[in-house]
Amino acid sequence: MISTAGIVLFAMPSQAQVEAARHYGPYLAEGATVVTCAKGIDRASARLLTDVLEEALPHHAIAALSGPGFAADIARGLPTAMAIAAADLATAERLAHAISGRTFRLYASDDRIGVQLGGALKNVLAIACGIVEGMGLGDSARAALISRGLAEMSRLVAAMGGKADTVRGLSGLGDLVLTATSHQSRNLRFGIALGHGEPIDFSRGQLVEGAFAAAVASRLAEGCAVDMPITDAVAAVIEGSLDIPTAIEQLMSRPITTE
């Protein structure tokens, strides 16, 4: 029961986390730690989920679990490694030991900013990789998007106070490679549909976190004066202000620079 649990996992979509905190907050045990398992950014406030949850649940420690793990794989007991981040490393290590199992391994981190941004931004980049696949642009283009997308992630993480090295770990590179290459990924499939020219349709209730995160991430980058051309392009395509051929042309015609 939730009222006796010392660790409570919030596995609902990112945009439902605050409402869930308000609903379940009164039933949480004193001293319980809440772990957000969603990979997104709160759209209403453009804040990280741990920040909004700390505000909604001020008497509870808030941690974030992220990394390359499809729910179906975890449920089947397939080997999976992810990251769990808390405000301090001791709490993260305690949670990692408590939640890890025979086929599920957690690595502790005290970089909640980096872990969460990696989880949110990789969804946006997976949409971009899906567009590349849907348009038949080849694996070289996908590899370019993954590597340059990783650079975008690092810049924003550092600008927001996180650690750039976190992006090169499970919650950044690991999750990006998984989500940008596997057809289990809803974000990749959404991008493929866009690349095929299919209209955007959220009426069937399919969860595509990257579609919500793109515009928020673009605004965050602008506010931090961080250059994120791939993220900006995905946001513009989703909102209908930019067509895909023009977006590709703009990305490929950017000034030549150093890596």
Side-chain angles (χ1 to χ4, degrees):
M1 292 177 60
I2 192 173
S3 60
T4 60
I7 301 172
V8 178
L9 306 182
F10 270 29
M12 63 287 297
S14 57
Q15 306 311 315
Q17 296 259 319
V18 173
E19 182 181 349
R22 293 175 182 145
H23 177 78
Y24 292 112
Y27 304 103
L28 295 176
E30 183 178 352
T33 298
V34 173
V35 180
T36 174
C37 303
K39 299 174 181 177
I41 304 169
D42 183 62
R43 183 168 43 172
S45 63
R47 296 164 65 196
L48 298 177
L49 297 180
T50 53
D51 293 335
V52 294
L53 288 176
E54 280 183 334
E55 189 174 274
L57 302 168
H59 303 298
H60 296 274
I62 309 295
L65 189 153
S66 192
F70 287 132
D73 291 347
I74 297 171
R76 290 171 58 197
L78 300 179
T80 303
M82 301 179 73
I84 188 159
D88 62 88
L89 194 56
T91 298
E93 290 175 338
R94 174 177 62 82
L95 293 169
H97 283 286
I99 301 173
S100 292
R102 186 174 59 85
T103 60
F104 187 65
R105 182 179 178 88
L106 292 182
Y107 287 81
S109 170
D110 60 0
D111 183 15
R112 293 189 302 180
I113 295 173
V115 166
Q116 288 178 96
L117 283 177
L121 296 176
K122 62 88 185 178
N123 287 328
V124 179
L125 297 169
I127 292 174
C129 288
I131 292 172
V132 163
E133 181 173 335
M135 295 191 70
L137 299 180
D139 290 334
S140 296
R142 188 201 306 266
L145 275 178
I146 289 174
S147 56
R148 296 313 304 162
L150 196 69
E152 289 191 10
M153 292 166 66
S154 296
R155 289 196 293 268
L156 185 60
V157 166
M160 292 186 63
K163 303 173 184 176
D165 280 348
T166 301
V167 174
R168 291 185 277 275
L170 287 166
S171 60
L173 176 61
D175 212 357
L176 175 58
V177 169
L178 179 69
T179 312
T181 60
S182 172
H183 284 203
Q184 286 191 66
S185 165
R186 289 181 292 263
N187 292 282
L188 182 70
R189 295 199 305 269
F190 178 75
I192 292 171
L194 291 178
H196 286 160
E198 299 176 19
I200 296 175
D201 180 15
F202 296 114
S203 62
R204 289 175 292 180
Q206 187 179 45
L207 175 64
V208 184
E209 290 277 22
F212 299 117
V216 180
S218 184
R219 292 201 309 271
L220 284 174
E222 183 179 10
C224 294
V226 172
D227 189 27
M228 297 184 68
I230 300 172
T231 300
D232 292 340
V234 172
V237 167
I238 291 174
E239 69 182 18
S241 62
L242 184 68
D243 62 79
I244 292 175
T246 302
I248 295 170
E249 181 182 355
Q250 289 179 356
L251 287 172
M252 294 303 295
S253 62
R254 285 171 52 81
I256 300 297
T257 184
T258 56
E259 185 171 34

